[in-house]
Amino acid sequence: MSKMASTRCYVVMVLSIVVISSMMASCGANLFEDLNLTWGDNRANISNDGQLLSLSLDKASGSGFQSKKEYLFTRIDMQLKLVAGNSAGIVTAYYVSPEVATHDEIDFELLGNLSGDPYILHTNVFTQGKGNREQQFYLWFDPTADFHTYSIIWNPKHIVFMVDESPIRVFKKAESAGVPFPKKQQMRIYGSLWNADNWATRGGSVKTDWSKAPFTAYFRNFKATDLSSTVLESDKIDLKKLRWVQKNYMIYNYCQDYKKFSHGFPAECKINP
Ligand SMILES: *[C@@H]1O[C@H](CO)[C@@H](O)[C@H](O)[C@H]1NC(C)=O
Ligand SMILES: *[C@@H]1O[C@H](CO)[C@@H](O)[C@H](O)[C@H]1NC(C)=O
Ligand SMILES: *[C@@H]1O[C@H](CO)[C@@H](O)[C@H](O)[C@H]1NC(C)=O
């Protein structure tokens, strides 16, 4: 090896170590390793050396991904940057669900809107086939301007939905009250971008503006942390933050929907904070 070559090699090595260690410090694992692009052909893409996943939607199709692994009791973190501008009719979904068997699902759906009008963060929990547990929120930031972290903490005691480390919703295990809790089936993580202009924006009255297509949403820093044995830390809920979000940003709560449940509210409504 000539001196030139070995010097160059050394510089490259030092640079790679700096790059790799800064990546490990600030980024999640490589998305190529954790996620499979499963829908929409090249509308779904992983770029930036596995650090960024994009999903696009045009008139012909949306797109989506799923995790390679399945999880039983886990904390999922994902950063999302949503479709900017006129995103009416478009839904960015991010949820966990088992592949087969009885339907359990923990669900984030972000419902787009006309430019300048607020997105709605729609959440739902299905256990043993039973859903109808919608809660909806406005966000306290513009979800299209930058990445924000949307997390699901699913441990043997509860499910907590979080946005930027603020709990927004808690679903406690309450089997003694007859409320089933997901605890047996492993679940996969799914993400998708799709057209739902028959219901998503103001009940379907505002349609997707296809002249603005393709629409693109971005995902990064996926992280799954096993919670099957380390319950303690994930048991803590910042109730002050939870109340702040629910008081100021919750716009729909099925547990207060007297019309829908005129014959009485589901049992979990008395249990969850
Ligand atoms: C997908 O990402 C790769 C880099 O991983 C890039 O070369 C390619 O152009 C992208 N494709 C599309 C359709 O954006
Ligand atoms: C992910 O993709 C790989 C390669 O195409 C395939 O072998 C594997 O079964 C896929 N897994 C899931 C969960 O989609
Ligand atoms: C869209 O904006 C309107 C008007 O501000 C609002 O009522 C609605 O909740 C917003 N979100 C969706 C998804 O419709």
Side-chain angles (χ1 to χ4, degrees), residues 5-65:
S6 72
T7 307
R8 195 158 59 222
C9 181
Y10 174 74
V11 169
V12 169
M13 252 174 60
V14 169
L15 270 179
S16 325
I17 289 168
V18 170
V19 169
I20 288 169
S21 44
S22 67
M23 263 165 51
M24 284 177 18
S26 66
C27 305
N30 191 313
L31 298 175
F32 284 116
E33 281 164 24
D34 295 320
L35 307 174
N36 265 3
L37 305 176
T38 47
W39 178 45
D41 301 318
N42 60 10
R43 291 175 189 84
N45 200 20
I46 296 176
S47 59
N48 292 11
D49 291 322
Q51 299 305 305
L52 184 69
L53 187 154
S54 56
L55 295 181
S56 295
L57 164 75
D58 57 40
K59 206 163 183 180
S61 178
S63 53
F65 64 83

